[in-house]
Amino acid sequence: MTASVPAGAVHTRRDGDVLVVTIDHPPVNALSADVRAGLARAIDQAGGDPQVRAVLLTGAGNNFIAGADIREFGKPPRPPALPDVCNQIEACAKPVVAALHGAALGGGLEVALAAHYRVALPNAKLGLPEVTLGLLPGAGGTQRTPRLIGAAAALDLMLSGKPMTAQAAVAAGLADEQASGADPLAAGLDYTRRLLAQGAKPRRSRDGQALADKAASLAAIHAAGQRIAASTRGLFSPAKILDAVRAAVEQPFDEGLRAERALFLQCLDSPQRAGLIHAFFAERETAKIPELKQAKPRRLDSVGVIGGGTMGAGIAVAVLDAGLPVVMVEQDEAALARGRQRVEHVYDLLVGKGRMSADERAARLARFTGATDYAALGEADLIIEAVFEDMDVKRAVFAQLDRVAKPGAVLATNTSYLDVDRIAQATRGPADVLGLHFFSPANIMKLLEVVVGRQTAADTVATGFELARRLRKIPVRAGVCDGFIGNRILAVHRQAADMMMEDGASPYEIDAAVRDFGYPMGPYQMVDLAGGDIGWATRKRRAATRDPALRYVQIPDRLCERGWFGQKTGRGFYLYPDGARQGTPDPEVLAIIDAERQRAGVTPRPFSAEDIQRRYLAAMINEAANVLHQGIALRPSDIDMVFLSGYGFPRYRGGPMHYADRVGLANVLADIRAFAKEDPAFWKPSPLLVELAESGRDFASLNQAA
Ligand code: 3H9
């Protein structure tokens, strides 16, 4: 054993005749410029040291390497470039072995593929997730991977972005051996020594033969292109991945690398890359809240759910899925039985599709109990109310909870609009009360708005975030206002859509324009899916307090008055004959809209898709700026996350605030001022938007400050 040579983020140490190279760059060993330089130096060192017969690459901590340092993208490049480092590793005259544990992702897997041999620990995840960031593997991954495992398997890896287990990687030929144990160094040294004993020489992925059948490879590319056409609608990088793999099939290795580089740079320059990487970091920012610096979560071993409707049952499933026991309380045995059936139905579907075993279903349901008496909630650490959306009903529930909940239990309301402070006042301990606004279906949707009331204690908030962590949800901290972050903003851009509808755009044109922007469905398809009666109830509740100066479009009410609530009633804005899930335009709806235009004295005018998108987005951004200005959201990127994870905003556009920055806040403000000439009461520029636009700043500058 000889002395170790520290080299910044990469350490080298000789273990007998093996040079052990350890990437040690917390938290995830991302390939920063220092790491790349350290790797290049280590390979030079191995080449120049006659006592070194082989090189072992390992990662310190929980991962091998999580990939390129994505914080560097969009900044001036710093040498050495990762593709050059990979080529240098591959060219090394001595065998290079990579021992993989934890994440071996993106550029991390590309480093491993440039090595000559790979041993993977059971917990290793080998993947090329660049597509999720708007990129393609740009350090030889598109050329080496298909040469090792064939075009079809390589495309699966690159287009899905999903990692492989160690076992699957060995079976596919991406790794050579699966080691047992949890110590990458020991496993790597053992494997390297065995290779040396067998006289193993460098074996380069560039020489892999899995693309030898050119016709089959081209057919695989064609098939993959057809398979993903619908699922990657609007995305830029998937087609570039296909092009890069085509280059691997058709061109010699070095030319393929050059093609990959050119395609990678196109992706790097695309706004989609910026949007997706913004979303990656935004998702990790939301859990950074002031309360977590002040307090620890309370105990969280059992959960009570009040209400067995769609929402309550979905919440119960989410909690059961996280391994926690649930007590569901309903008013009577019949309602409780329906609640239990809803929970069972979710698991029955999963078992039916082969996605859950019958044993697992039984294990989850064994954690579920039901009761019709609130006393059953006496032991719950956290109780979530999911009853009818009505202030008096909710206050009555909380008054009862106040009597039965144990001291220190956290009491949560799943209201989507109502004043959490008023609900909290129905108890003697408002510090224990918060809002947990789940989105439907609650066991699937990632977003959870954690609504912090005026008197909510820091450890109550921390417990809400802890629940989100256990449920693998994306928690976003919200203050109290009508609709919190998401629904408050939604109400305003829905209003902008309604105004366009009355002014001349059909709901079908509006939906198409919003889909063209990248949403999976338009606002009126959404209303039909959720049920028009829900928004109608809210509009009726707000009728008394509505600002009379604000224009009120009555078209949606006309449909609701006819009982046309959408899919569940067979018609809404669209027709759903015979239980169809896909709606068709309804001439009667267009006639009702025409009659409403006449009643309101509106002469219809045409709207292009661009007109529709600009108004829709401007209304969203303006209200989002108000939400931020009033401290309802902590930071712009939290609002982005609400819309990305709860409302279908296209992830590749980064969310409304990121999108606004890209369009330019001065341009958004100019639009709003132009629209205000028609309707100054609705199009009131947000003071924050004005301030930022006029001082040449953007929303991103507030993220950094948060
Ligand atoms: C690429 O490789 C391109 C190449 O093909 C070509 C180049 C030429 N960079 O997720 P966590 C941070 S593209 C910088 O909470 P976990 C993260 O922000 C890359 N930072 O932990 C967080 O910071 P903070 C392809 C990164 O244990 C902290 O690390 N690779 C990176 O739940 C902990 O992260 C990927 O797409 C990064 N690459 O999950 C993999 N990754 O504490 C991306 C993470 O300040 N990473 N951070 O909030 C992951 O999927 C997960 O982070 C991982 C760990 C599974 C590794």
Side-chain angles (χ1 to χ4, degrees):
M1 185 111 30
T2 57
S4 62
V5 182
V10 176
H11 309 282
T12 57
R13 171 176 74 79
R14 218 159 38 69
D15 191 308
D17 48 7
V18 178
L19 184 72
V20 177
V21 180
T22 307
I23 298 105
D24 187 3
H25 184 47
V28 293
N29 296 335
L31 290 155
S32 65
D34 284 351
V35 174
R36 298 194 300 271
L39 279 172
R41 260 199 310 272
I43 297 298
D44 281 344
Q45 184 188 340
D49 185 342
Q51 298 193 24
V52 169
R53 289 178 60 217
V55 181
L56 173 63
L57 306 179
T58 60
N62 295 332
N63 301 295
F64 176 64
I65 301 172
D69 184 344
I70 56 182
R71 287 183 206 272
E72 286 184 358
F73 292 150
K75 298 185 186 148
R78 287 172 59 199
L82 189 60
D84 297 338
V85 176
C86 287
N87 291 342
Q88 188 192 348
I89 293 171
E90 189 168 57
C92 183
K94 300 172 184 177
V96 182
V97 177
L100 311 180
H101 76 298
L105 298 177
L109 182 58
E110 292 175 294
V111 166
L113 296 179
H116 306 137
Y117 299 92
R118 286 157 291 281
V119 57
L121 268 64
N123 76 348
K125 287 195 291 180
L126 291 77
L128 293 169
E130 284 87 345
V131 70
T132 63
L133 302 173
L135 289 167
L136 52 80
T142 65
Q143 307 302 299
R144 292 190 177 95
T145 316
R147 281 178 166 81
L148 285 180
I149 63 174
L155 283 166
D156 270 354
L157 200 62
M158 289 186 250
L159 292 169
S160 74
K162 295 209 175 86
M164 280 184 180
T165 61
Q167 197 181 10
V170 172
L174 200 62
D176 300 296
E177 183 172 290
Q178 187 184 328
S180 53
D183 180 356
L185 180 61
L189 278 171
D190 172 59
Y191 183 54
T192 308
R193 295 244 147 78
R194 279 189 282 124
L195 285 172
L196 285 175
Q198 291 159 14
K201 299 276 174 268
R203 184 202 55 177
R204 300 187 167 93
S205 304
R206 61 181 286 150
D207 300 326
Q209 290 302 307
L211 292 178
D213 184 343
K214 190 170 167 182
S217 302
L218 290 174
I221 295 171
H222 181 72
Q226 291 203 315
R227 204 177 56 246
I228 60 157
S231 58
T232 62
R233 185 177 71 94
L235 289 176
F236 182 75
S237 77
K240 305 291 162 192
I241 291 174
L242 293 174
D243 289 349
V245 175
R246 195 170 294 113
V249 175
E250 290 178 337
Q251 295 174 29
F253 183 76
D254 292 318
E255 280 175 41
L257 275 188
R258 274 193 287 280
E260 176 194 86
R261 186 75 192 149
L263 293 162
F264 177 79
L265 291 177
Q266 287 177 29
C267 294
L268 194 63
D269 278 347
S270 76
Q272 294 195 358
R273 188 277 303 159
L276 287 164
I277 288 188
H278 169 76
F280 177 90
F281 288 119
E283 193 167 329
R284 284 157 179 77
E285 282 303 297
T286 65
K288 296 175 187 162
I289 53 155
E291 286 84 357
L292 284 177
K293 292 190 188 133
Q294 299 156 16
K296 297 233 166 314
R298 297 183 190 175
R299 179 186 153 138
L300 184 50
D301 291 335
S302 59
V303 174
V305 175
I306 306 175
T310 310
M311 210 53 188
I315 294 170
V317 171
V319 176
L320 293 170
D321 288 351
L324 288 162
V326 171
V327 185
M328 177 184 277
V329 170
E330 255 295 358
Q331 299 182 23
D332 53 48
E333 289 296 342
L336 183 60
R338 284 193 297 275
R340 179 190 293 274
Q341 268 164 19
R342 287 191 179 99
V343 172
E344 287 174 351
H345 182 64
V346 173
Y347 291 132
D348 289 344
L349 284 180
L350 289 173
V351 172
K353 286 182 191 158
R355 290 211 244 133
M356 181 179 281
S357 69
D359 285 353
E360 186 53 41
R361 172 189 184 277
R364 295 199 193 184
L365 288 172
R367 291 195 289 274
F368 178 86
T369 46
T372 52
D373 186 345
Y374 272 56
L377 297 167
E379 288 308 308
D381 294 325
L382 184 149
I383 303 166
I384 306 168
E385 160 281 309
V387 302
F388 188 64
E389 186 79 345
D390 176 276
M391 180 55 85
D392 293 338
V393 175
K394 300 229 183 226
R395 279 176 61 93
V397 166
F398 273 75
Q400 282 212 58
L401 276 183
D402 200 35
R403 287 192 284 277
V404 299
K406 66 180 180 187
V410 169
L411 310 182
T413 167
N414 177 51
T415 179
S416 15
Y417 287 94
L418 299 177
D419 183 341
V420 173
D421 289 325
R422 277 199 63 206
I423 296 175
Q425 277 148 21
T427 72
R428 285 163 300 170
D432 297 336
V433 177
L434 84 173
L436 288 177
H437 180 207
F438 288 81
F439 288 70
S440 189
N443 55 314
I444 301 204
M445 293 292 284
K446 285 275 176 209
L447 178 61
L448 180 65
E449 282 182 324
V450 180
V451 186
V452 179
R454 244 193 344 263
Q455 290 173 273
T456 310
D459 60 349
T460 302
V461 180
T463 312
F465 273 74
E466 173 61 14
L467 178 77
R469 194 186 65 78
R470 301 238 199 128
L471 267 48
R472 296 167 185 254
K473 302 257 178 238
I474 299 173
V476 177
R477 186 192 187 285
V480 175
C481 67
D482 200 337
F484 316 124
I485 299 176
N487 281 347
R488 169 169 162 180
I489 298 170
L490 175 74
V492 175
H493 61 271
R494 274 288 321 278
Q495 167 75 7
D498 286 354
M499 288 177 354
M500 287 190 274
M501 179 160 64
E502 195 169 65
D503 286 340
S506 80
Y508 315 120
E509 286 169 325
I510 294 171
D511 280 348
V514 171
R515 281 197 309 272
D516 274 356
F517 182 78
Y519 272 85
M521 60 175 81
Y524 298 107
Q525 289 173 292
M526 196 63 216
V527 171
D528 275 6
L529 182 68
D533 47 333
I534 297 176
W536 196 30
T538 309
R539 292 195 296 277
K540 285 194 274 195
R541 175 169 61 76
R542 287 177 171 165
T545 53
R546 189 176 296 129
D547 178 356
L550 272 185
R551 181 172 162 194
Y552 181 73
V553 176
Q554 299 183 27
I555 299 165
D557 295 349
R558 291 296 92 82
L559 304 192
C560 289
E561 284 153 12
R562 289 169 165 80
W564 298 356
F565 296 147
Q567 275 191 27
K568 63 183 173 189
T569 57
R571 70 192 300 178
F573 283 95
Y574 293 80
L575 282 169
Y576 302 88
D578 306 321
R581 302 188 71 175
Q582 195 69 32
T584 45
D586 183 349
E588 273 190 69
V589 167
L590 294 177
I592 293 169
I593 295 171
D594 264 343
E596 279 301 302
R597 285 175 186 152
Q598 281 176 25
R599 193 192 52 75
V602 172
T603 311
R605 64 179 201 271
F607 285 82
S608 68
E610 196 199 329
D611 291 337
I612 293 169
Q613 290 170 359
R614 276 168 86 153
R615 282 170 190 258
Y616 198 68
L617 268 299
M620 188 185 303
I621 293 161
N622 197 47
E623 188 61 8
N626 285 330
V627 160
L628 202 56
H629 196 49
Q630 291 163 15
I632 301 297
L634 274 186
R635 43 176 101 77
S637 65
D638 280 6
I639 300 180
D640 285 335
M641 228 39 239
V642 165
F643 280 85
L644 295 177
S645 58
Y647 292 83
F649 197 99
R651 190 169 168 101
Y652 62 82
R653 294 197 192 264
M657 311 310 266
H658 177 84
Y659 176 77
D661 281 350
R662 287 205 78 92
V663 171
L665 298 193
N667 294 326
V668 177
L669 181 60
D671 269 357
I672 292 172
R673 285 185 168 147
F675 305 150
K677 294 200 177 108
E678 298 160 17
D679 186 346
F682 180 79
W683 293 103
K684 273 194 210 126
S686 158
L688 178 64
L689 182 65
V690 173
E691 184 193 320
L692 291 174
E694 291 183 347
S695 60
R697 288 157 68 210
D698 58 11
F699 287 123
S701 64
L702 302 179
N703 282 328
Q704 281 132 31

